[in-house]
Amino acid sequence: MTVFLEDFAMELASIGLIGLGTMGAALALNIAEKGHRIAVWNRTGAVTIQFFDGAGDLAANLVPTDSLQALVAAIKPPRAIILMVPAGQAVDDQIALLRPLMGKDDLIIDAGNANFQDTERRAAAAEAVGVPFLGIGVSGGEEGARHGPSIMGGGPREAWERVAPVLQSIAALHGQTPCATWMGPRGAGHFVKTVHNGIEYADMQMIAEVYGVMRDGLGLGALQIAAVLDGWNQGTLRSYLIEISGAVARATDPVSGAAMLDVILDAAGQKGTGRWTAIEAQHLAAPVPVIEAAVMARNVSSRLAERRAGEAAFGAGPQPLTLDLCDLESAMIAGKILCYAQGFAMLAAASETYGWGVPLPECAKVWRAGCIIRSDMLDHMSAALTEDPARNLILAPAFTAHLRAHHGALRKVVAASALAGHAMPALSAGLAWFDLMRTARGTANMIQAQRDFFGAHGFDRLDGNPGKHGPWGAH
Ligand code: 6PG
């Protein structure tokens, strides 16, 4: 049966939600299930009806509405309304329609995958007229939204505190701790989510790289690869992404009967969050080469025709090779640490530049459950960042020990792969960064000399003697 607001005894909802797409619907059901009465509205009314009709017992906590006015009227003031609409212009359009209907204390929460620069702009606009606005990153896909996402909040602290009880009640739990945390003002929450996604791209790419070595270099079939990944998931690499990679490697295509992985086109899609991370890292001069390599590799993967022409011109890249599976596992451990060290350093740089004060240990903690990059290692990372948030993760004793133990294998895997023609953009980018980071006397003296030669840019000397220019003369 379909019911709309006018049919309800007016028990007001404690929160509202706009946008009943996959994520919005899942989040609304999660909120209803945790005992909060929630009013919902969708631009296409039929979607609201369908959602309500399919909500089963949870319908008792849902208030479906057929207009924005009805939505606002259905919520207890001061109101809080979550937007789950596509990132970009749709959010601005929705805010423009909603704000005039709301009171000065009413809160709009953008829970989509917004570009943090948009959130900064929207937050500034809201501040200018004295109305509250939050931008929150929500991770965990549909399953997470429905049963426990990881939530990264950004905006005025008091606005966060107002809705924190609801958000914490729907979030994933790590032990007894809800993974829903305030990351700082304005765009901080969406920024943390963006870096999460950059790391997500990098984690996925590194797994794809070792999968490629197992498939094309070691000649393992999908089921054998699944068994290797399942094994890794019992050790240091235990994580959601390793777990699901094992599961996808084990799956069979119902159409052809072949391994599912073997029938999927090798061209990766992307909505852009990984790219935003790479772009912002460049603005901040905060190196995240593993993430950049992952974005690059997705872009190259989509250039199918060129790759086919490349193979015709140069011969197939990946050749059989010999490597121990435990070296592959070690390489993944090292690569993962290097990638996260870069991601956290980038977060620190952004936090300083934008004045957010993002608590890095909290950030590691909020990623421990619910989100796509959840892993056991994040527990140790949060401990290391708690000890000293300013220290690069590779210099935290626990991770220094890991890298000492595993970087040799990373080197072996990258070298063997290079010789046998296996592309390893992410793992090799991690290794190159690591080698730069452990070289006290680097090679930028050559760059400085070149700059001085052609542009008289000057340089500092090692010996403290005066003089900032070389004896280049006129050439
Ligand atoms: C999450 C995911 C989710 C989504 C991204 C990535 O944390 O739940 O990151 O937000 O999967 O949109 O998608 P693309 O791979 O399409 O960029």
Side-chain angles (χ1 to χ4, degrees), residues 22 36 50 84 100 111 114 227 247 265 269 285 287 333 335 378 392 401 449 457 464:
T22 310
H36 311 285
Q50 206 182 4
M84 285 299 275
L265 185 71
I333 293 170
L378 275 164
N392 190 295
H457 293 291

Side-chain angles (χ1 to χ4, degrees), residues 262-340:
D262 292 340
V263 299
I264 297 176
L265 185 71
D266 52 325
Q270 58 182 311
K271 293 197 209 78
T273 42
R275 183 184 306 144
W276 295 342
T277 314
I279 291 171
E280 188 55 26
Q282 292 289 343
H283 284 305
L284 292 164
V288 290
V290 183
I291 295 172
E292 286 168 347
V295 176
M296 177 280 286
R298 282 204 195 188
N299 291 333
V300 173
S301 80
S302 307
R303 297 175 172 250
L304 264 179
E306 278 171 277
R307 288 197 284 119
R308 284 175 185 152
E311 180 164 325
F314 303 109
Q319 301 300 317
L321 49 63
T322 311
L323 270 175
D324 279 348
L325 285 171
C326 35
D327 281 336
L328 275 186
E329 183 182 13
S330 276
M332 279 294 295
I333 293 170
K336 185 167 171 130
I337 293 168
L338 298 169
C339 165
Y340 280 68

Side-chain angles (χ1 to χ4, degrees), residues 44-171:
T44 310
V47 171
T48 314
I49 294 169
Q50 206 182 4
F51 167 74
F52 183 75
D53 288 348
D57 290 351
L58 296 179
N61 268 343
L62 295 173
V63 185
T65 64
D66 57 2
S67 70
L68 276 180
Q69 287 80 356
L71 174 79
V72 171
I75 306 165
K76 210 180 304 158
R79 301 171 183 86
I81 297 183
I82 299 173
L83 305 186
M84 285 299 275
V85 299
Q89 190 57 44
V91 175
D92 290 310
D93 294 347
Q94 197 59 68
I95 292 173
L97 291 172
L98 188 57
R99 199 47 103 181
L101 307 176
M102 297 177 87
K104 213 156 170 57
D105 293 332
D106 289 350
L107 169 63
I108 295 181
I109 305 165
D110 175 17
N113 258 341
N115 185 319
F116 83 97
Q117 300 279 14
D118 287 340
T119 308
E120 287 275 298
R121 171 176 56 74
R122 289 171 191 139
E127 261 171 46
V129 291
V131 293
F133 176 77
L134 287 175
I136 65 172
V138 178
S139 177
E142 183 185 359
E143 180 68 14
R146 178 65 185 85
H147 297 292
S150 163
I151 300 176
M152 297 143 253
R157 176 118 211 190
E158 53 289 359
W160 168 262
E161 299 298 348
R162 253 174 65 187
V163 285
V166 175
L167 298 179
Q168 284 165 352
S169 74
I170 63 162

